[in-house]
Structure formats: structure tokens, C-alpha cells
């Protein structure tokens, strides 16, 4: 089995219009046997997107066409590749009830999903932490230190792991070190080993899979996967299921760094 299970789509409001077929045929040509499309789920009811273009989430009326098109493609390509229909669902502190409602409505039609933290709550205001270096730095100025921002981020990821979001809660935790995305923009080195360890412990305890996400390697201020290789190896040792995801928002990025991030980690882990 060769799997890439974190892929965006032409339905992504901040992605590209690259067609599903472009992604699917590239995956087949590269020998992948399993792919999951995990478009950003619609926002939970009442949540106001804080990014300038308000394009973090799928519009609710686009959910049905997204699923219908994938159901059709899943059948069409059934002999060549297993296509899973999924969403990347945001965990937003304070919107647990609305997120559960959303999952209860759409969960039955999904095969595979991811739970991710992109928004943090501080002083009753939400901020998107992976939007841009200036917006991250602006957000971090509300805190005494970057370390405090990291603490809040990991605390929120940990809350996402232990949260009760009902029977359709995703089984995989998305890019749990996304807070590193702009580490070379602010240049503060934070020792977050214990915070990541605690996050992995909780994932193990609650039986979640880890999104081994290569997208960070392509980001100029990150330059490492989410999570970095040492933690991928640690998670493997702990018995946490690892699932590669390229987090591609265009066909060109599909399977990006698969060998560097996933194959090599698996090789090291078996030594
Ligand atoms: Zn996205
Ligand atoms: Zn994400």
C-alpha cells in the first residue's frame, strides 16, 4: 500500500483549480494505491473566519457537489486506485458543539478525515496561526513570549484530541507541529519537546493516527515536516499509526517529499 491521505482539491477556496483527475492520475502514475481527499470542512455554525479573504473553509453549499463528484470518481477509478472521501475538520476552541453537529450531518458520507488546529483563541479573539509571517508575529505580540504561543497551540491540539465530538470525530490529527510554520521568520528557538511528547502521548492514549505531513518542508520559514523526523520516529516507536499526507493544494505538490519524509523515516525506524 502506498498512501497519500491529506490532499486538497479544486473545491478549496484558497487552493488551485487543478482538477481531481490531475491529482488522481498523477497518484496512479506514481504508484499510489490509496489517496484521501481532505478538503477544509465548512466552518462550524457561527464561526467567523478571521483571515482577510475569509477563504479558510469550504462554503456549506459546496459540500454536496464535492462529495457527489468524488463518489463518481471513486467508482470510475475503482480498478486503479482506492479513493477515500474526507475532510480536514477544524478544531476551534468554544465551537465543540457546532463542530459535533457538523460532523453528525456529514460524517456518514465520509471515509477518512483529519482533525486540525489552525485557529487559536486568545482574549476572546480567534486568530489563524498559519496565514502569514506578519500575522503570526502580530498575534504573538499579544503574549509574553513565543513559547507562550506554542504552549497555547499545543494545549489546543491536546484539547482537540481529548474532545468529545461525537461518533464521527476524525481518526487522524493533522500536522500537530503547524506552529513551526514560521519558525525561521521569528527566529526564536523554542524547546517544545515536552509539549510534543505530551501531544503524542494523548494521541496514543485516545488511539489517533498521526498525519505525517510533508508540506512544511516546502515552506520557506519552516523547512521541516510536521512533525519533524525525530517525532515521526518517536510516534512510530510508540505504536501510533502514521499516515503520510502531502497536504497538496495543487497537483504539482502531490506526494511532495514522500521519499524524504516517509520512506526514509520508515527505513530508519526499522534499523
Ligand atoms: Zn488549505
Ligand atoms: Zn491544515
Amino acid at each position: 500500500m502506498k498512501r497519500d491521505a491529506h490532499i486538497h482539491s479544486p473545491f478549496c477556496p484558497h487552493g488551485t483549480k487543478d482538477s481531481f483527475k490531475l491529482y488522481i492520475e498523477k497518484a496512479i502514475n506514481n504508484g499510489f494505491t490509496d489517496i484521501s481527499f481532505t478538503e477544509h470542512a465548512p466552518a462550524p455554525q457561527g464561526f467567523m473566519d478571521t483571515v482577510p479573504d475569509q477563504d479558510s473553509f469550504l462554503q456549506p453549499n459546496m459540500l454536496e457537489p464535492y462529495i457527489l463528484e468524488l463518489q463518481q470518481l471513486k467508482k470510475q477509478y475503482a480498478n486503479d486506485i482506492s479513493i477515500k472521501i474526507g475532510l480536514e475538520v477544524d478544531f476551534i476552541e468554544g465551537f465543540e458543539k457546532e463542530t459535533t453537529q457538523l460532523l453528525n450531518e456529514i460524517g456518514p458520507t465520509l471515509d477518512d478525515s483529519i482533525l486540525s488546529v489552525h485557529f487559536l483563541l486568545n482574549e476572546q479573539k480567534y486568530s489563524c496561526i498559519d496565514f502569514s509571517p506578519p500575522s503570526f508575529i502580530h498575534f504573538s505580540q499579544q503574549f509574553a513570549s513565543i513559547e507562550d504561543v506554542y504552549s497555547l497551540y499545543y494545549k489546543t491540539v491536546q484539547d482537540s484530541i481529548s474532545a468529545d465530538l461525537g461518533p464521527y470525530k476524525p481518526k487522524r490529527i493533522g500536522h500537530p507541529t503547524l506552529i513551526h510554520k514560521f519558525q525561521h521568520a521569528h527566529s526564536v528557538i523554542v524547546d517544545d519537546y515536552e509539549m510534543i511528547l505530551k501531544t503524542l502521548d494523548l494521541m496514543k492514549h485516545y488511539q489517533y493516527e498521526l498525519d505525517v505531513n510533508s508540506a512544511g518542508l516546502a515552506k520557506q520559514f519552516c523547512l521541516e515536516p510536521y512533525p519533524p523526523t525525530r517525532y515521526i520516529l518517536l510516534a512510530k516507536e510508540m505504536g501510533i499509526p502514521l499516515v503520510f499526507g502531502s497536504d497538496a493544494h495543487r497537483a504539482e505538490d502531490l506526494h511532495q517529499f514522500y521519499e524524504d519524509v516517509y520512506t526514509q523515516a520508515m527505513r530508519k525506524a526499522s534499523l
Side-chain angles (χ1 to χ4, degrees):
M1 179 154 109
K2 197 173 173 188
R3 188 173 177 201
D4 186 342
H6 189 154
I7 308 174
H8 291 274
S9 77
F11 283 83
C12 182
H14 56 263
T16 61
K17 293 295 160 213
D18 285 358
S19 68
F20 279 123
K21 287 192 175 182
L22 264 181
Y23 288 97
I24 295 167
E25 285 176 12
K26 178 169 177 180
I28 295 169
N29 289 335
N30 284 282
F32 281 77
T33 57
D34 292 74
I35 54 172
S36 300
F37 286 99
T38 52
E39 196 44 80
H40 295 283
Q45 184 95 46
F47 180 74
M48 287 289 286
D49 192 355
T50 65
V51 308
D53 292 338
Q54 300 201 313
D55 58 357
S56 300
F57 303 92
L58 193 64
Q59 289 304 316
N61 64 343
M62 296 309 279
L63 189 60
E64 198 180 320
Y66 168 73
I67 288 173
L68 288 176
E69 193 171 340
L70 277 173
Q71 284 172 339
Q72 194 266 323
L73 289 162
K74 191 173 162 162
K75 278 192 208 131
Q76 188 184 330
Y77 285 96
N79 291 330
D80 306 303
I81 192 165
S82 163
I83 299 174
K84 293 192 172 61
I85 305 175
L87 289 170
E88 180 178 14
V89 179
D90 265 83
F91 176 80
I92 302 173
E93 201 186 330
F95 281 83
E96 293 83 351
K97 206 177 87 210
E98 293 79 359
T99 305
T100 307
Q101 274 166 8
L102 181 74
L103 285 166
N104 285 343
E105 282 164 32
I106 57 184
T109 53
L110 303 176
D111 306 313
D112 183 37
S113 288
I114 297 175
L115 188 66
S116 298
V117 171
H118 304 98
F119 291 88
L120 294 183
L121 176 62
N122 183 48
E123 294 178 351
Q124 290 157 24
K125 268 179 65 186
Y126 292 95
S127 300
C128 177
I129 47 102
D130 69 322
F131 180 69
S132 70
S135 71
F136 180 83
I137 288 164
H138 179 76
F139 176 66
S140 64
Q141 282 162 352
Q142 300 169 29
F143 296 79
S145 66
I146 296 278
E147 189 171 352
D148 288 351
V149 184
Y150 276 48
S151 294
L152 176 62
Y153 170 77
Y154 291 110
K155 163 87 172 54
T156 309
V157 174
Q158 289 159 12
D159 288 347
S160 80
I161 296 167
S162 57
D164 178 5
L165 300 178
Y168 298 104
K169 185 177 174 184
K171 301 274 180 285
R172 185 154 68 258
I173 302 301
H175 45 58
T177 58
L178 184 66
I179 201 71
H180 290 187
K181 184 170 177 179
F182 301 122
Q183 60 183 350
H184 297 295
H186 58 71
S187 302
V188 177
I189 296 166
V190 177
D191 178 7
D192 54 2
Y193 179 80
E194 293 297 331
M195 304 182 212
I196 299 175
L197 204 62
K198 188 175 171 196
T199 307
L200 292 177
D201 272 338
L202 277 175
M203 286 177 57
K204 170 74 183 167
H205 178 78
Y206 287 96
Q207 298 185 307
Y208 285 97
E209 302 165 344
L210 171 66
D211 173 39
V212 172
N213 188 308
S214 61
L217 260 179
K219 305 284 188 243
Q220 60 165 320
F221 296 116
C222 186
L223 306 177
E224 61 179 34
Y226 312 118
T229 306
R230 64 189 289 212
Y231 298 103
I232 299 173
L233 295 174
L234 194 57
K236 172 104 173 111
E237 227 170 80
M238 292 166 72
I240 296 171
L242 309 182
V243 181
F244 176 79
S246 60
D247 208 346
H249 285 68
R250 53 181 186 173
E252 194 188 331
D253 293 340
L254 190 67
H255 323 315
Q256 55 187 337
F257 306 111
Y258 178 82
E259 298 294 328
D260 300 332
V261 171
Y262 189 73
T263 314
Q264 283 193 29
M266 292 304 105
R267 201 172 294 141
K268 275 186 196 150
S270 63
L271 289 178

